[in-house]
Amino acid sequence: FKGVSHSWAGTPWHRTDRSATGLAPDPRTTPGAVIQVYAAPTYGWRGIFAVHAWIAVKDAGAPSYDRWDVMGWGRGHVVRHNYDGADHRWFGQEPRLLLDIRGERAADLIPRIREAVAAYPWPRTYRSFPGPNSNTFVAFVARQVPELGLDLPPTAIGKDYRPIADPIGRAPSGGGVQVNLLGLAGLIVAPAEGVELNLLGLGLGLD
């Protein structure tokens, strides 16, 4: 974005609203552990077709959240820690809460989420299509922690990305079976996703 003024509906990207939405419970009044997953339309015209997903967690008794996104700008590692608040708007776009787990169950799963974040296999690679991207990252964590039962929307382009060496495995929700080649073509049969056909990043299926 350096030196370029991108805008959507007349608002430059750096002036868009990134304020909190109130979807994340206030850590000052919520002593228990919290896990939340969000997705918001991407910036600009791409938001018609695609979303950006991220993960936020709060340990029991912690005064703040830890949030992880994968982003394609900048250099080095693409996994960003605490780029923004847990429930903040994504460059003017309202996030949708996909998952909300609290209490003891959340406390049990958070250490495994941290391990999955650290084990993400593409920490220096980003491709908006077909992946790996922000949705590939969230889907990877969900596969590593299937107890989350996360069902990413069809517009989470990149969630189905699988390397050529590993085309068969669990669906992003952590259950069922997925067959996919680099996120370009594949099939999911799983309790959460139902039956879903993926072709060139687009999903068609029966929930």
Side-chain angles (χ1 to χ4, degrees):
F1 292 104
K2 183 181 291 186
V4 180
S5 178
H6 292 261
S7 64
W8 177 249
T11 304
W13 68 271
H14 57 279
R15 295 182 181 174
T16 52
D17 185 4
R18 288 171 54 193
S19 60
T21 60
L23 291 171
D26 189 338
R28 295 170 297 182
T29 58
T30 307
V34 179
I35 299 171
Q36 292 188 320
V37 177
Y38 293 90
T42 57
Y43 176 75
W45 61 267
R46 298 176 189 83
I48 300 172
F49 308 101
V51 298
H52 168 83
W54 66 89
I55 302 170
V57 306
K58 186 189 80 68
D59 290 298
S64 61
Y65 286 85
D66 284 309
R67 167 176 164 167
W68 295 282
D69 306 54
V70 158
M71 300 175 194
W73 59 83
R75 296 181 178 181
H77 282 263
V78 298
V79 180
R80 309 294 177 87
H81 180 223
N82 290 341
Y83 173 80
D84 215 335
D87 63 350
H88 285 210
R89 291 170 177 83
W90 180 251
F91 294 98
Q93 302 293 339
E94 293 286 328
R96 173 186 168 195
L97 182 59
L98 302 180
L99 183 73
D100 190 347
I101 301 175
R102 307 188 189 190
E104 292 185 7
R105 183 180 171 216
D108 290 340
L109 296 178
I110 286 175
R112 295 174 56 194
I113 290 175
R114 295 184 185 278
E115 291 175 1
V117 169
Y120 181 59
W122 301 285
R124 293 181 177 270
T125 304
Y126 181 94
R127 287 188 295 268
S128 58
F129 175 83
N133 57 29
S134 63
N135 302 315
T136 310
F137 167 71
V138 172
F140 173 82
V141 174
R143 288 189 184 96
Q144 302 302 113
V145 191
E147 291 84 355
L148 293 174
L150 177 62
D151 185 8
L152 286 165
T155 48
I157 295 173
K159 70 182 177 67
D160 299 312
Y161 180 87
R162 302 185 67 92
I164 293 177
D166 185 27
I168 303 175
R170 291 184 294 202
S173 65
V177 177
Q178 178 184 43
V179 180
N180 201 285
L181 184 61
L182 296 176
L184 295 173
L187 176 69
I188 291 175
V189 180
E193 288 92 347
V195 179
E196 184 177 305
L197 177 66
N198 175 265
L199 183 61
L200 298 179
L202 302 177
L204 175 67
L206 181 65
D207 217 347

